[in-house]
Amino acid sequence: MRHLLSIEELDREAIERIVSMAERFAEVSERPIKKVPALRGRMVLNLFYEASTRTRSSFELAAKRLSADVVNFAASGSSVEKGESLKDTVLTLSAHRPDAIVLRTPWAGASELVSRWCDAAIVNAGDGKHEHPTQALLDVYTLKRHRGAIDGLSIWIVGDVAHSRVARSNILAFRRMGAHVTLAGPPTLIPRGIEQLGCEVRFDLDGLGEADVVYALRMQRERMSEAWVPSLREYADCYQVNARRLKPSQLLMHPGPVNRGVELSGEVVDSPQAVITAQVGAGVVVRMAVLYELLADASSPPPQGQRDRSADVQAAEAAALAGALPGASGKPAERSPRIARGQAG
Ligand code: CP
């Protein structure tokens, strides 16, 4: 596999390898000069058909910190407004020969389709209600930083599961990392049969105290064509995570953007238990790790701190850090075999 389309395709080993690479990139991010030449000469195209603050900015920053060239494309203001289809837009932009396309769309399955239309590595940056794999990876990274191990943790995902691609990716990722996952929300917002993903379902927050981690989800009103709850006030009465419901020992996560006063009270958003801004920060190093996995060839430089590399790789790193191009042979780099090794199925 040479794309990142869903968490379903990643086994635990692959998740751990990306998280561990992200930890090394976090060391780079602490330096005064936060850039490495690992993807010099490669091109990353950010193709966004939907609003985004966190994902878009962190993918751009991640690619730039790896020294890749970055092209940002937003559907608004483009020929999409004149009726150009997703396929024709992808074929048109592929003429610029991007090495990777980071794609955010409101359509489930769009990333998979695009992966059939062009040669670039495709990174799913959120496809409708389906999946948001890099969000799940950055959440695993954040949890590991704050809790050490994820094995055995009780994680409650609270809110609008039905419209949430984050919920789907995170259930899979947290389960794969050994956590016990419980979903809680109104029956209208919990898809029937979702227990098959290996999680429990509750329709109230009575047992929330047992959670080590509370992961709140936004009410995705833009994806609702009808009223799924009687009113936001009633929803907040029953399901809002607030200081009354959250224990001081519990970690609070949210993928953002937060609707203050709806799924979370303002006081818990601003509390020390909330790691919401840490999740955003993790987005950069985790997305660096994903782009590196997909695009770096075997001789390009991993961040310093890796101790188990061969002399050849260390020499290549030294050369690249000294200014030589990765893959200095002039031959086009092949896709990293590492991501293929780590995929399930
Ligand atoms: N969490 C997330 O995907 O946020 P954005 O929509 O701002 O990218």
Side-chain angles (χ1 to χ4, degrees):
M1 177 177 158
R2 60 188 192 89
H3 309 287
L4 178 57
L5 304 178
S6 74
I7 287 292
E8 213 156 13
E9 299 155 347
L10 300 182
D11 59 15
R12 180 173 178 147
E13 188 195 340
I15 294 173
E16 283 176 343
R17 192 182 54 254
I18 291 169
V19 167
S20 142
M21 181 59 79
E23 281 162 358
R24 290 192 219 128
F25 282 124
E27 289 167 26
V28 172
S29 299
E30 299 296 320
R31 298 181 197 161
I33 295 171
K34 300 173 173 54
K35 230 169 157 162
V36 288
L39 296 187
R40 197 185 290 168
R42 308 296 170 85
M43 196 215 287
V44 176
L45 171 63
N46 290 325
L47 183 49
F48 277 65
Y49 278 77
E50 228 188 28
S52 167
T53 298
R54 283 143 284 269
T55 311
R56 189 169 157 179
S57 61
S58 59
F59 264 115
E60 180 173 354
L61 206 47
K64 285 180 172 168
R65 286 199 177 160
L66 292 167
S67 305
D69 296 323
V70 184
V71 177
N72 290 313
F73 173 94
S76 71
S78 75
S79 290
V80 169
E81 291 183 346
K82 300 175 194 162
E84 193 159 53
S85 68
L86 174 64
K87 182 168 187 176
D88 286 330
T89 302
V90 166
L91 294 179
T92 300
L93 293 171
S94 292
H96 300 315
R97 299 175 62 90
D99 296 288
I101 298 178
V102 176
L103 183 68
R104 156 78 56 103
T105 75
W107 311 298
S111 298
E112 206 277 329
L113 272 180
V114 169
S115 73
R116 297 187 212 159
W117 297 335
C118 61
D119 293 333
I122 306 301
V123 183
N124 180 3
D127 61 338
K129 295 188 278 184
H130 176 225
E131 276 229 36
H132 194 352
T134 57
Q135 178 71 46
L137 291 169
L138 74 87
D139 287 332
V140 167
Y141 172 95
T142 306
L143 255 185
K144 197 164 165 256
R145 297 271 282 207
H146 284 84
R147 283 288 184 267
I150 298 177
D151 275 300
L153 283 181
S154 166
I155 303 176
W156 277 52
I157 298 177
V158 179
D160 180 2
V161 175
H163 298 96
S164 175
R165 54 194 171 212
V166 173
R168 200 170 309 275
S169 291
N170 282 26
I171 292 165
L172 294 170
F174 291 155
R175 290 280 301 122
R176 235 149 252 187
M177 297 303 293
H180 184 92
V181 178
T182 303
L183 308 178
T188 49
L189 294 178
I190 306 276
R192 204 173 294 168
I194 198 151
E195 297 92 334
Q196 286 165 15
L197 295 180
C199 48
E200 269 186 59
V201 168
R202 308 279 180 92
F203 298 121
D204 57 51
L205 298 189
D206 291 351
L208 191 68
E210 77 187 36
D212 300 300
V213 178
V214 177
Y215 195 107
L217 297 172
R218 183 171 65 88
M219 286 288 277
Q220 301 208 21
R221 280 170 284 176
E222 75 275 20
R223 298 195 206 284
M224 297 182 189
S225 53
E226 55 199 275
W228 293 67
V229 291
S231 70
L232 285 183
R233 203 167 125 194
E234 270 191 64
Y235 174 82
D237 275 351
C238 297
Y239 297 102
Q240 183 186 80
V241 177
N242 53 33
R244 186 168 52 85
R245 293 190 168 122
L246 195 69
K247 290 197 307 192
S249 60
Q250 292 173 318
L251 202 69
L252 176 64
M253 302 180 80
H254 190 297
V258 171
N259 288 152
R260 277 180 188 249
V262 182
E263 68 268 11
L264 294 179
S265 68
E267 59 194 332
V268 298
V269 176
D270 298 327
S271 74
Q273 290 157 264
V275 292
I276 299 166
T277 49
Q279 288 171 263
V280 178
V284 176
V285 291
V286 167
R287 286 166 177 139
M288 285 172 83
V290 167
L291 291 175
Y292 183 82
E293 275 266 347
L294 290 168
L295 296 185
D297 70 5
S299 63
S300 63
Q304 286 176 338
Q306 190 174 346
R307 280 175 281 279
D308 56 353
R309 285 169 294 117
S310 69
D312 285 352
V313 173
Q314 289 184 39
E317 175 179 2
L321 286 169
L325 287 172
S329 64
K331 285 191 285 190
E334 290 179 8
R335 301 251 178 256
S336 165
R338 283 163 297 191
I339 203 154
R341 271 208 305 274
Q343 307 302 323

